[in-house]
Amino acid sequence: MNLSDLQNALDQLSTAMLADPLLSLCNAIAWLDPLITNPHLFSEDLNPYDGNFDHWTNIGVAWETARACFLDVYAETTLNIRSQQQTEIQIAEQVCIGINRHLIRADIYELDQIHYGLPFAGGGVEITSQEFFADPMNTPLMEVYGMFDVEVGHADLYSYPDHYDQAATSARVIAHSLRLTDQPAYDDLAGLLDWMFAQTGNASADYTDEEFYDMNAEPLRWEPYDIAYSNAMHAEAFDMIEQARRGLQFLMHQPALKQTLSRNIQKIATKVRKVKRYDLHDTHAHQLAKSLRWTHDPEPTDANRTPDDLESVSFWGADAA
Amino acid sequence: MLSTIDNLVSTLEAVPPLELAAVTLLHTLRPQTGEWFPSRLNPEEKAQVIQATVELVDYTRRCAEMGRLLAQLPPIPLCDVSLVEFSL
């Protein structure tokens, strides 16, 4: 038997198998879904903290992750592995690109990241970073922090500026007040204050990468539900930061509004002076917010109330401060 | 009971065979050079194969889920059916 006979035999066997519907299906599965019998072939018994992994291990884990979460990436990777026309580095790059198609605003940069859960992209203000405030997009923020008597952009990485917590409490009340005006531009300004003091409620908008890392937070897993959650969180954070930047632009072009904001900051700062940051209840914050007035609004939103009403507002925990 | 079984059989026989793109592509793209699976694909074929893989995995997952559900069906006692084979 020569080589030609062997090829003929193989061809006949293949033809015979494809003539049978069940064997055709089995062949198609073997061709396109080789992980069907063991979807945890690579990640089984693998401890991500064991150390550096080679490209093939990364590809293997990403390949089975893709089967669970990104079927098109799984199919692409299967074909790329089968074609034997790419190096492992090229295949790893292709898998990265494929996975990033499914992630919103939180890319993976190297396939090695596949071992450590979903990527987190912190968009929070880097309050102590000189580089952050040196960026022309962020430089005007220093002026707004200054209104709150908060110095930012110092290189001491592990401490927050003096007065930060008190300023955050004031900012929260002022954001409430701005939202009460129902003016879109003031709503943007409220978004700016939320972002500046990490009070948006969205982790990606509130924390920087470093802060998130230092928290030792458990990363989200490579599972469909977690991926959907992470995408929604990062998309929302992006919108929040965009809104904050619109608010910053608006404020920088409104000298009268800057004066009003400064005046309102001082007014609120005296009222929340003894309140710990997280002790200010929403109800009280709203009550205080109603006492403020803005340039478009000649009368306070609670004009019927007397100042005495506001003076009598008590704050839980105020004495503890 | 018998008519119900007949109905079930005839219903199942009337179900058209499922056309899976993966099986079709395996037939059409199979190389004549001794390779078992197609390996050299142009971009258009590659896009088709990717779509077919998505369909195939979805199909096998549904089958596995159906098998899991069937395995959990409680037994149904057939009190009024006589099974003459048992007496043999």
Side-chain angles (χ1 to χ4, degrees):
Chain A
M1 182 178 278
N2 57 30
L3 187 61
S4 169
D5 292 334
L6 272 174
Q7 281 187 339
N8 285 340
L10 194 64
D11 195 42
Q12 285 175 16
L13 180 59
S14 173
T15 304
M17 288 184 85
L18 294 184
D20 180 90
L22 183 60
L23 291 178
S24 282
L25 177 60
C26 292
N27 272 274
I29 290 171
W31 175 36
L32 298 177
D33 189 13
L35 291 182
I36 189 170
T37 54
N38 192 350
H40 304 292
L41 183 65
F42 299 97
S43 56
E44 213 168 51
D45 303 327
L46 195 66
N47 182 351
Y49 300 102
D50 277 350
N52 294 325
F53 298 103
D54 60 31
H55 285 297
W56 282 118
T57 307
N58 297 338
I59 291 167
V61 173
W63 191 26
E64 62 191 30
T65 299
R67 187 177 187 275
C69 306
F70 318 114
L71 275 179
D72 59 330
V73 182
Y74 172 62
E76 279 174 6
T77 310
T78 306
L79 293 178
N80 288 339
I81 292 170
R82 281 204 182 286
S83 76
Q84 299 182 333
Q85 290 173 337
Q86 295 185 342
T87 64
E88 64 267 36
I89 294 173
Q90 290 170 320
I91 293 174
E93 283 174 359
Q94 290 298 315
V95 180
C96 254
I97 292 168
I99 289 176
N100 283 338
R101 284 201 305 267
H102 294 268
L103 301 180
I104 297 177
R105 304 197 180 281
D107 288 352
I108 55 171
Y109 300 100
E110 291 179 349
L111 202 53
D112 190 62
Q113 289 176 257
I114 200 76
H115 302 290
Y116 307 104
L118 287 172
F120 175 86
V125 176
E126 296 173 31
I127 203 92
T128 55
S129 162
Q130 286 175 318
E131 290 80 9
F132 179 84
F133 290 102
D135 184 333
M137 282 179 75
N138 300 325
T139 305
L141 284 170
M142 298 180 84
E143 184 182 344
V144 189
Y145 278 113
M147 293 179 190
F148 285 90
D149 198 20
V150 172
E151 278 190 74
V152 292
H154 292 285
D156 183 359
L157 289 173
Y158 296 105
S159 70
Y160 272 75
D162 291 341
H163 315 302
Y164 181 85
D165 280 352
Q166 188 193 338
T169 309
S170 300
R172 191 174 139 213
V173 173
I174 289 167
H176 273 310
S177 172
L178 286 164
R179 290 196 169 96
L180 289 175
T181 65
D182 278 334
Q183 300 288 318
Y186 284 27
D187 207 44
D188 292 344
L189 187 52
L192 170 67
L193 298 181
D194 286 344
W195 180 53
M196 285 172 57
F197 291 98
Q199 299 184 127
T200 68
N202 179 305
S204 175
D206 286 345
Y207 296 118
T208 64
D209 288 341
E210 288 76 14
E211 286 169 336
F212 193 76
Y213 179 78
D214 288 344
M215 285 163 62
N216 282 325
E218 186 73 20
L220 294 170
R221 294 161 302 172
W222 289 101
E223 291 180 3
Y225 178 85
D226 281 12
I227 292 165
Y229 178 83
S230 172
N231 282 342
M233 176 180 71
H234 284 98
E236 184 189 58
F238 179 81
D239 290 343
M240 286 172 158
I241 295 168
E242 284 286 292
Q243 183 190 33
R245 293 206 180 282
R246 282 199 306 273
L248 184 61
Q249 281 287 319
F250 174 69
L251 180 64
M252 289 298 109
H253 292 92
Q254 304 281 336
L257 180 58
K258 280 189 203 173
Q259 288 180 354
T260 309
L261 178 61
S262 286
R263 196 165 52 243
N264 283 336
I265 290 168
Q266 287 167 13
K267 186 175 178 181
I268 291 301
T270 57
K271 292 182 187 297
V272 298
R273 188 165 32 97
K274 291 185 178 178
V275 184
K276 284 189 174 176
R277 181 174 181 184
Y278 298 106
D279 288 347
L280 181 64
H281 195 274
D282 257 359
T283 313
H284 295 152
H286 274 103
Q287 282 178 309
L288 280 173
K290 287 179 181 176
S291 71
L292 301 178
R293 72 176 73 177
W294 298 96
T295 47
H296 83 285
D297 181 11
E299 294 296 324
T301 46
D302 64 340
N304 293 330
R305 297 190 65 184
T306 64
D308 288 341
D309 288 339
L310 288 166
E311 295 301 329
S312 66
V313 171
S314 65
F315 300 107
W316 180 80
D319 294 338
Chain B
M1 177 61 72
L2 284 176
S3 71
T4 307
I5 292 172
D6 288 342
N7 287 345
L8 178 61
V9 169
S10 59
T11 302
L12 290 176
E13 283 177 346
V15 174
L18 179 66
E19 294 281 343
L20 282 170
V23 176
T24 309
L25 287 170
L26 184 60
H27 280 261
T28 55
L29 300 177
R30 188 170 64 94
Q32 304 298 318
T33 53
E35 293 168 87
W36 196 260
F37 296 126
S39 57
R40 288 179 175 77
L41 305 172
N42 64 40
E44 188 186 348
E45 291 167 343
K46 195 170 177 181
Q48 289 176 335
V49 170
I50 288 168
Q51 280 296 315
T53 306
V54 173
E55 181 195 41
L56 180 69
V57 176
D58 184 54
Y59 168 72
T60 53
R61 278 182 182 162
R62 279 188 284 125
C63 289
E65 178 63 9
M66 184 63 72
R68 191 185 65 78
L69 292 174
L70 285 172
Q72 292 177 354
L73 274 182
I76 302 168
L78 302 173
C79 303
D80 54 349
V81 177
S82 60
L83 296 173
V84 291
E85 290 86 350
F86 280 157
S87 61
L88 295 177

